[in-house]
Amino acid sequence: MRWPIQHLSTAGKLIVVGGQRDSLTFFTYNTIDRKFEMKNSDSKQRLTMTSLAVNERLAMGTDKSGEIFGLQQRESSILHALETVFTFKTGEIITQLKPGSLEFTAESLVNDEIPLKIVEATEELQLATLSENPNTSTKMTQLFFGSLWAFLLMSKSVFQPLELLQRIIQSHSKMKPLLGNDHFFFRSGDNPTHGVIDGDFVAQFLDLEFDDQKDIMT
């Protein structure tokens, strides 16, 4: 590594190494030869803050400009640079990434309550996993000023219609100037935002009048 190592994270055979200016680099460990093998690295130079290995192909990272990003190994072994699957600017420096769980319950929907179970946190903000379901994939972040964010992996069938809705309402007159006069610019830092649904922004669609919702959907 060319720069001091900031953090380490593992998932299965994957070892994610974050350097001060090297962004993230993926390694694996051969238990037979007892050797580390460098697999892929980021093509961009980032001042990384922390990282979290999500699975053996995907990792999340944060940098000191207030961005959170996702990197994964490409299918082709010829391309050695990691693929950037999403970037999103929070506006604050994220100091920790932790796995967590938010469970949706049918009872809470029927009772018109908030359909989320609260994730408990200790003073050190070690987020507890409430669900033992291995398919849950919520990632929690702690920001420098103490805020908490939740990021949830979604299927394509859920993501694509929400992404389309987000693109439409970004330019709709009824949605401005929520979260800034230009939402795309607001959520873009050193890199244009992509691959993320801004829940705070898209949820504003539900507060619109029915005629305005119908106008957007048509």
Side-chain angles (χ1 to χ4, degrees):
M1 305 296 290
R2 296 177 298 171
W3 304 96
I5 294 174
Q6 290 281 93
H7 42 80
L8 296 169
S9 179
T10 62
K13 297 180 180 179
L14 176 65
I15 304 169
V16 179
V17 180
Q20 283 186 353
R21 298 186 184 181
D22 281 334
S23 187
L24 304 183
T25 304
F26 286 12
F27 289 83
T28 57
Y29 181 69
N30 189 317
T31 56
I32 298 177
D33 298 335
R34 295 185 178 181
K35 293 181 180 180
F36 289 97
E37 178 184 358
M38 176 182 169
K39 303 297 291 184
N40 310 86
S41 61
D42 192 0
S43 60
K44 297 182 181 294
Q45 194 175 54
R46 309 177 197 262
L47 298 174
T48 56
M49 193 74 183
T50 188
S51 66
L52 175 67
V54 179
N55 53 47
E56 293 190 359
R57 292 190 62 239
L58 174 66
M60 299 169 62
T62 69
D63 62 27
K64 296 178 182 178
S65 68
E67 279 190 4
I68 184 168
F69 55 92
L71 301 174
Q72 74 174 6
Q73 297 187 61
R74 299 177 186 269
E75 295 293 341
S76 174
S77 59
I78 300 176
L79 301 173
H80 295 290
L82 294 168
E83 178 186 5
T84 303
V85 292
F86 74 86
T87 60
F88 184 81
K89 184 179 180 180
T90 63
E92 298 182 50
I93 298 176
I94 297 174
T95 57
Q96 291 188 51
L97 288 170
K98 298 287 184 180
S101 174
L102 297 177
E103 280 192 339
F104 290 84
T105 60
E107 292 80 9
S108 60
L109 291 173
V110 172
N111 297 330
D112 197 27
E113 299 173 353
I114 298 177
L116 299 175
K117 290 187 177 179
I118 302 302
V119 177
E120 298 178 355
T122 66
E123 292 182 357
E124 294 79 17
L125 289 171
Q126 302 293 321
L127 298 177
T129 300
L130 298 182
S131 172
E132 296 180 359
N133 183 352
N135 296 322
T136 56
S137 52
T138 306
K139 309 305 172 192
M140 301 294 180
T141 67
Q142 175 199 352
L143 278 67
F144 186 75
F145 294 105
S147 305
L148 290 177
W149 289 66
F151 290 84
L152 177 68
L153 289 173
M154 13 176 109
S155 64
K156 279 188 177 181
S157 61
V158 175
F159 177 82
Q160 289 176 344
L162 288 177
E163 184 185 35
L164 177 60
L165 175 62
Q166 180 172 262
R167 288 204 307 266
I168 294 173
I169 64 179
Q170 280 176 345
S171 58
H172 197 274
S173 58
K174 292 292 184 178
M175 299 298 293
K176 291 184 176 182
L178 297 175
L179 294 182
N181 292 319
D182 188 326
H183 176 263
F184 180 81
F185 177 78
F186 181 81
R187 289 304 185 192
S188 297
D190 296 332
N191 304 283
T193 182
H194 74 281
V196 176
I197 303 299
D198 187 341
D200 284 339
F201 180 65
V202 174
Q204 301 293 336
F205 173 79
L206 301 176
D207 294 331
L208 296 176
E209 297 293 336
F210 176 76
D211 290 341
D212 294 326
Q213 292 181 352
K214 184 178 179 180
D215 179 53
I216 290 175
M217 297 304 293
T218 56

